[in-house]
Amino acid sequence: MLPPMTRLAASVWVTAGEQGIQRALAEATRASDAGADMVEYRLDEVPGDLDGVLGLVEQSPLPCIATCRPVWEGGKFDGDESVRRALFEALAGADRPPTYLDVELRAYQEHEAMRRTVDGIVERAGEGGSPRIILSSHDFKGRPTDLLRRVAAMNQIDATRVVKLAWRARSLRDNLEAFELLATRGKPTIALCMGEFGLPSRVLAKKFGGLLTFAALDQDKATAPGQPTVAELKNLYRWDALDSQTRVYGVIGYPVGHSMSPAIHNAAFDAESINAVYIPMPVAPGWEPFKATLATWLDFAPLHFRGASVTIPHKEHLLRYVREAGGEVEELATKIGAANTLTVRKDGRLYACNTDYAAALDAVSRALQIDPDDLVRRKVGVLGAGGAARAVVAGFAAYGARVTVFNRTPQRAEELATAFNGTGGRAGRVQAAGLDALPLAEADIWINCTPVGMHPNADATPMPWEDKGGPHVAAFDTIYNPVRTRWLREAEAAGCITVSGVEMFVRQAAAQFELWTGQAAPVDVMRRVVAERLHRAS
Ligand code: NAP
């Protein structure tokens, strides 16, 4: 038997008057053009306009769901139930009724007259006729304590053709329960989580055979918290390519809403026709939320969760987790004290590593057209002593370069230098200095690992070039927004070879792609996506 097709339903608010109806029709047409295959008309504000609503449903360019959500279930309708009953009767009796009619479980259970109306509609429609009843239940605060009882009740009610549950996710773990509900469904089911932690349930509804997922037409038109847009589902999250076997990857951090990683990785999966999707995975700060989330996601076999990029504030937590789980941790990642990549190997064993340092090494060596082994003859000046500097120093020190760390807080520079001095097999190669030593300092490769010059303070520069530049000097700015920082532009003017932070960003992502898929990354595609995103943001 073929698995049921999961519909992509665009939610459209309908506002009062002829103009409101026309606008809703125009939006439904736009949704159809964008690739939605169903539309939900939210009739909360127009339940009394029977002619307008019937005309809308009649002319709808897509099969539709009619919903008129009362205030007590999170909607906007605050009139008498008799108004909704009249609306439902009219819709059901229309020449061209909506495909689905959404009725709240609470309305059905607690209002005798509503129950009679709904049962009558179902009887007249007959088996397979329209409208089909979606019995729905929403909780905008969190997971209802009686969730499973509600599901059982909805499945038992004869009138129910579709069971719909939506609740606010408190963590990524809630999504797994939504998947579980879909996997064990009796009747066709919609199970979605709302809010910033709920996106996986919306994207992966198709993987688990949900009847549909809801999407907004535009970012500011979501009808429920956390709804993605139709375009995001189609173009960013690879909606058309998803199936039950799709492997899942993501970026774990907090916050992760503005990460470019989903765009870059999904584009790479797409370019290489890999059955995988990459999603944002917000995990609240702290070891406990990280550990609990990762453990449950890894444990849930049907999810096919195979790896993640890990960013602030969880890079140290990843090291600890993989170590405690008996997995393998890359030696240099341990030394750096942070890992940014989790890979679930074919045998299920975990591997944590850091692709940042290799990406920085790779970006600079390629620009200089040298082998990383030649770095032993180069002097490197690193500005900053934070997380990025740690990865950069680790990489260059491991290849024996002579590194000097310059930092605003000299003590941090000292600590960093001490941690990596001698890691390339040669003692005394990594040193620290204060910013006051910069004017007289010389290096073959200068690397900015401070945020000085980053958007929106793009006029700032961490170091004047004065007489430091020249054709044999490389300037590498880890900042990628803007792509050409003032520091890099001035380095170019001073005759230096310049490398943008985009190269490091793309190369660390490319290395992750290669770890996860075992094949070469489409680096040009990834670079193009980053450039487009940055261009759009500027
Ligand atoms: P971090 O851990 O907060 O460290 C920031 C460092 O910059 C610290 O050493 C800090 O000095 C120094 N600093 C901050 N403001 C300064 C100022 N006004 N003047 C002088 N020094 C200043 O940050 P991070 O995670 O290392 O990130 C640093 C930069 O790297 C960011 O711009 C980020 O965009 C970039 N980055 C790029 C990539 C990539 O893939 N391209 C990856 C990671 C990071 P103190 O010690 O005195 O506070």
Side-chain angles (χ1 to χ4, degrees):
M1 197 175 78
L2 281 173
M5 189 183 116
T6 303
R7 312 297 199 292
L8 201 174
S11 279
V12 170
W13 276 106
V14 187
T15 50
E18 176 57 22
Q19 261 190 350
I21 299 291
Q22 288 310 322
R23 199 176 306 123
L25 271 176
E27 290 194 359
T29 304
R30 205 147 60 80
S32 172
D33 293 345
D37 31 32
M38 188 163 260
V39 61
E40 178 195 42
Y41 293 117
R42 286 294 298 260
L43 307 172
D44 308 20
E45 293 179 32
V46 293
D49 179 11
L50 295 183
D51 287 346
V53 169
L54 293 186
L56 172 64
V57 172
E58 169 94 6
Q59 293 171 65
S60 179
L62 289 170
C64 71
I65 303 167
T67 302
C68 177
R69 187 82 65 229
V71 171
W72 47 259
E73 186 90 357
K76 286 192 183 169
F77 172 76
D78 61 357
D80 194 86
E81 281 296 80
S82 60
V83 177
R84 291 210 305 153
R85 290 202 307 274
L87 171 70
F88 293 171
E89 291 281 13
L91 284 165
D95 291 342
R96 198 181 158 203
T99 310
Y100 293 105
L101 181 62
D102 183 308
V103 181
E104 304 74 27
L105 171 69
R106 200 174 134 195
Y108 186 87
Q109 284 182 324
E110 295 178 11
H111 299 272
E112 169 68 29
M114 181 61 88
R115 185 159 58 244
R116 277 203 308 273
T117 299
V118 171
D119 286 345
I121 289 172
V122 170
E123 204 180 308
R124 287 194 297 279
E127 196 58 39
S130 296
R132 297 159 74 77
I133 301 297
I134 297 177
L135 216 58
S136 66
S137 175
H138 306 77
D139 195 319
F140 288 81
K141 290 206 181 81
R143 178 198 181 279
T145 47
D146 61 346
L147 181 73
L148 299 180
R149 272 206 304 279
R150 287 191 202 186
V151 175
M154 288 158 125
N155 270 296
Q156 272 164 17
I157 292 169
D158 278 348
T160 311
R161 292 291 174 269
V162 177
V163 172
K164 178 190 172 191
L165 290 133
W167 72 94
R168 178 177 281 276
R170 294 309 188 103
S171 83
L172 286 180
R173 279 172 285 161
D174 283 74
N175 294 279
L176 302 181
E177 193 163 16
F179 302 148
E180 195 93 58
L181 289 179
L182 293 178
T184 57
R185 66 186 177 270
K187 294 183 176 177
T189 299
I190 302 164
L192 298 170
C193 293
M194 297 185 276
E196 65 166 329
F197 297 107
L199 185 71
S201 71
R202 297 180 179 279
V203 174
L204 301 175
K206 193 170 172 208
K207 179 174 165 71
F208 290 94
L211 180 81
L212 57 82
T213 199
F214 291 99
L217 201 48
D218 302 304
Q219 230 135 27
D220 58 349
K221 290 202 175 118
T223 53
Q227 231 173 39
T229 64
V230 175
E232 281 168 347
L233 280 179
K234 293 287 269 192
N235 306 332
L236 177 57
Y237 296 118
R238 313 193 63 217
W239 180 258
D240 295 331
L242 301 178
D243 64 28
S244 64
Q245 297 307 304
T246 301
R247 302 201 302 272
V248 175
Y249 298 87
V251 51
I252 299 176
Y254 202 84
V256 286
H258 292 95
S259 170
M260 280 193 292
S261 296
I264 193 171
H265 280 290
N266 283 320
F269 289 148
D270 217 42
E272 298 299 308
S273 301
I274 288 168
N275 190 3
V277 66
Y278 184 104
I279 52 180
M281 294 177 58
V283 175
W287 163 244
E288 289 301 330
F290 180 83
K291 181 179 151 189
T293 303
L294 199 54
T296 47
W297 271 53
L298 287 166
D299 247 18
F300 194 74
L303 183 58
H304 304 111
F305 175 54
R306 291 289 181 270
S309 313
V310 178
T311 183
I312 295 167
H314 293 303
K315 287 184 171 192
E316 292 82 7
H317 298 149
L318 176 60
L319 278 185
R320 179 173 164 190
Y321 187 91
V322 172
R323 209 179 293 124
E324 289 184 6
E328 186 190 343
V329 176
E330 182 195 27
E331 210 181 299
L332 208 46
T334 305
K335 187 88 193 144
I336 295 168
N340 73 337
T341 310
L342 169 71
T343 305
V344 183
R345 289 182 166 149
K346 283 210 171 78
D347 62 3
R349 271 197 84 201
L350 304 181
Y351 175 58
C353 65
N354 192 313
T355 62
D356 275 340
Y357 76 84
L361 276 174
D362 205 25
V364 172
S365 325
R366 278 175 194 254
L368 286 172
Q369 297 180 340
I370 59 168
D371 190 275
D373 288 328
D374 290 337
L375 288 169
V376 73
R377 285 191 284 278
R378 310 284 164 140
K379 275 176 81 171
V380 182
V382 173
L383 310 176
R390 219 174 153 79
V392 162
V393 170
F396 283 83
Y399 277 87
R402 275 195 286 156
V403 181
T404 306
V405 182
F406 300 88
N407 194 44
R408 183 174 61 180
T409 311
Q411 195 196 338
R412 282 186 87 189
E414 287 288 350
E415 283 164 11
L416 180 52
T418 307
F420 291 98
N421 195 14
T423 48
R426 299 167 185 82
R429 305 287 282 191
V430 186
Q431 297 178 346
L435 291 182
D436 54 345
L438 261 182
L440 294 178
E442 285 178 1
D444 306 302
I445 301 166
W446 284 100
I447 306 178
N448 176 34
C449 296
T450 76
V452 181
M454 190 163 79
H455 175 81
N457 302 314
D459 279 345
T461 172
M463 180 188 89
W465 282 95
E466 290 163 354
D467 53 0
K468 287 189 171 54
H472 303 295
V473 175
F476 169 35
D477 201 333
T478 60
I479 293 173
Y480 52 76
N481 186 11
V483 179
R484 304 298 291 170
T485 57
R486 177 178 162 194
W487 188 66
L488 278 192
R489 281 186 271 118
E490 290 177 357
E492 201 167 19
C496 302
I497 298 161
T498 60
V499 186
S500 152
V502 169
E503 273 310 293
M504 176 172 166
F505 183 70
V506 167
R507 288 183 188 284
Q508 61 79 26
Q512 295 180 328
F513 180 96
E514 286 166 16
L515 280 160
W516 296 334
T517 66
Q519 62 184 70
V523 180
D524 289 343
V525 171
M526 298 171 103
R527 197 178 284 124
R528 197 195 64 226
V529 170
V530 175
E532 278 169 12
R533 288 259 151 175
L534 289 172
H535 182 71
R536 238 186 285 163
S538 64

